[in-house]
Amino acid sequence: MSLVSTVTVKVPATTANLGPGFDCIGAALKLYNEFKFTCLDSGGLIIQVSGAEAEKVQTDESNLLYQAFVKLYQYIDQTPPPVKIEIKLGVRLARGLGSSATAIVGGLVAANQLAGSPLSELQVMELAIAMEGHPDNVVPALLGGCRLAATSQTGWEICDITWHRHIVPVVAIPDFELSTSEARRVLPTEVSRADAIFNTAHFGLLLRGLATNQEDWLKAALQDKLHQPYRQALIPGYDDVAAAAVAAGAYGMVISGAGPTLLALTDATHTYGVVTAMSNAWKQAGIKSTVRSLALDTQGATVL
Ligand code: HSE
């Protein structure tokens, strides 16, 4: 077992739910956070952060990246080494783009690497899901691509979801935050049989739509009854941005993860129009945003 003393891990942003796939599907996007860990001979913890909104990141032991790092050492029954962590932020915080998942996955992968890789990728994934509480961000952040996670009798089944190359994700990231806990608090704890059937049907249609780029299927498939109807009120301008995206040719628009970022899926031929329309709609609603198309990341977390 050869031990290294420095490791850099790059972890992609993710968009979870994709409409009807609440808490079970997510896709990795080509937008990254980078975390460099350097073991120190002595001392405790040094955290340095750069990039957008760096001042909002905790730099003490409550930092989520560090907590994940410690978690792995606890799991293998070892004491974590004193460490300096340099964080380069590319993923905005609390926007529904899986910034917490990048921290959890980054901390676990870095610790596993520094400890000589005692855990398999599957074990790291299970620890990540346990820390996050749901699999739809951490699984694609670790593995890349679009992934469906379902519990099995013994753990998790992870399924690679085919994503047609002409389907482009467009993210509209507003300049306000929405915490996942707040966005989960507004959800009912029970749903009707009609809503459960609605989502089962639409989620099946979504998977076929993503594989085929079949326009009618995708237009219908992005509807949801489990979370979006309850969360839309937390995102000012939601209806206007959705209408603008669809008028510009998008198949539909959904909330990215718990929001407030909005995600449109479009055929590549309409990308420019959809980006422009979503940006203008939010501007007219008085909200500053960054709107861009992002390709799917297929690598997941990478040790540089
Ligand atoms: N599936 C989660 C939610 C993603 O929608 O609350 C956010 O982490």
Side-chain angles (χ1 to χ4, degrees):
M1 180 167 87
S2 74
L3 291 180
V4 291
S5 63
T6 298
V7 66
T8 302
V9 186
K10 184 175 151 190
V11 189
T14 45
T15 183
N17 301 331
L18 302 176
F22 179 61
D23 269 3
C24 63
I25 194 170
L29 301 171
K30 287 198 171 177
L31 179 70
Y32 300 92
N33 282 338
E34 206 174 287
F35 310 113
K36 181 176 179 187
F37 290 72
T38 306
C39 294
L40 304 173
D41 290 336
S42 60
L45 169 67
I46 301 169
I47 299 181
Q48 295 170 347
V49 192
S50 61
E53 302 178 335
E55 69 287 354
K56 293 185 181 166
V57 176
Q58 305 288 335
T59 54
D60 57 19
E61 292 189 352
S62 67
N63 179 285
L64 185 58
L65 179 70
Y66 181 67
Q67 286 185 0
F69 180 80
V70 171
K71 182 80 157 187
L72 188 129
Y73 278 96
Q74 285 172 342
Y75 188 82
I76 60 173
D77 214 9
Q78 288 186 20
T79 306
V83 71
K84 176 170 132 185
I85 306 176
E86 291 158 85
I87 301 175
K88 273 194 217 162
L89 290 176
V91 184
R92 304 285 289 275
L93 306 170
R95 297 301 203 290
L97 288 170
S99 66
S100 304
T102 70
I104 292 170
V105 167
L108 293 173
V109 168
N112 197 39
Q113 191 76 11
L114 290 171
S117 304
L119 299 192
S120 67
E121 188 174 61
L122 178 65
Q123 287 173 307
V124 170
M125 186 193 78
E126 286 173 348
L127 271 182
I129 296 173
M131 271 193 87
E132 176 92 318
H134 43 85
D136 45 344
N137 291 110
V138 289
V139 172
L142 180 67
L143 305 177
C146 182
R147 303 280 174 168
L148 169 64
T151 50
S152 69
Q153 287 75 4
T154 52
W156 290 93
E157 285 301 324
I158 305 300
C159 188
D160 187 6
I161 300 300
T162 303
W163 185 292
H164 193 283
R165 69 186 195 285
H166 288 169
I167 302 173
V168 177
V170 174
V171 291
I173 310 165
D175 71 347
F176 63 88
E177 298 182 0
L178 177 56
S179 77
T180 298
S181 55
E182 187 188 344
R184 291 181 86 84
R185 213 169 19 243
V186 300
L187 304 182
T189 50
E190 293 181 5
V191 297
S192 68
R193 180 163 62 183
D195 286 355
I197 293 168
F198 184 98
N199 268 58
T200 305
H202 286 78
F203 188 58
L205 195 61
L206 175 69
L207 299 184
R208 291 293 299 139
L210 286 174
T212 59
N213 195 23
Q214 227 268 35
E215 181 175 355
D216 292 340
W217 289 350
L218 282 166
K219 280 183 170 169
L222 291 169
Q223 299 176 84
D224 158 73
K225 299 254 188 188
L226 295 188
H227 69 112
Q228 297 198 155
Y230 309 99
R231 289 174 162 174
Q232 285 168 16
L234 302 174
I235 305 173
Y238 179 96
D239 289 337
D240 296 339
V241 181
V246 170
Y251 295 130
M253 193 198 79
V254 296
I255 300 173
S256 178
T261 290
L262 300 175
L263 169 79
L265 294 186
T266 180
D267 182 87
T269 51
H270 298 298
T271 305
Y272 177 76
V274 171
V275 168
T276 309
M278 293 174 84
S279 178
N280 287 341
W282 241 343
K283 198 169 172 187
Q284 278 167 20
I287 294 180
K288 285 196 196 121
S289 67
T290 305
V291 185
R292 57 189 293 196
S293 59
L294 287 171
L296 247 60
D297 166 279
T298 55
Q299 305 289 306
T302 317
V303 177
L304 302 178

